[in-house]
Amino acid sequence: MLIPCPFCGPRDMSEFRCGGQSAIVRPVPAQQVSDEAWSNYMFMRPNPRGVLAERWVHQGGCGTWFNILRNTVSHEIMAVYAIDAAPPELKP
């Protein structure tokens, strides 16, 4: 699988590391979050069939973190965007 690094271009996936689902909202304030809410934040993630926003780092290259929209069934990468940007809208 080739992953398109925004700075280095397409590279083999062996150069990258997945950082998990992107856009996870951390519960705040941390001192007032229940154990159940914190556990849900840390461990309970959806595992959808279809498009998922993920964080990736080009570990074997430039070291840049970025987001991708990837189809979890076909592994097709539909979009690459900055780590602090909102996911782009996909055209049907």
Side-chain angles (χ1 to χ4, degrees):
M1 182 166 95
L2 291 179
I3 296 178
C5 174
F7 298 99
C8 304
R11 299 288 192 266
D12 186 80
M13 85 177 269
S14 64
E15 294 185 18
F16 298 86
R17 181 172 163 256
C18 182
Q21 184 179 357
S22 64
I24 303 295
V25 178
R26 183 179 182 150
V28 291
Q31 299 82 3
Q32 297 174 8
V33 175
S34 71
D35 289 344
E36 181 180 2
W38 189 253
S39 177
N40 287 337
Y41 165 72
M42 292 295 293
F43 303 111
M44 305 307 278
R45 300 279 190 262
N47 189 15
R49 290 179 53 88
V51 179
L52 181 65
E54 300 172 319
R55 293 179 298 231
W56 286 77
V57 63
H58 193 179
Q59 184 174 338
C62 64
T64 301
W65 282 91
F66 57 94
N67 290 319
I68 65 171
L69 289 180
R70 182 178 67 88
N71 186 309
T72 61
V73 176
S74 66
H75 298 294
E76 175 189 4
I77 296 173
M78 292 124 122
V80 176
Y81 56 102
I83 199 75
D84 58 351
E89 290 192 31
L90 298 177
K91 297 177 183 175

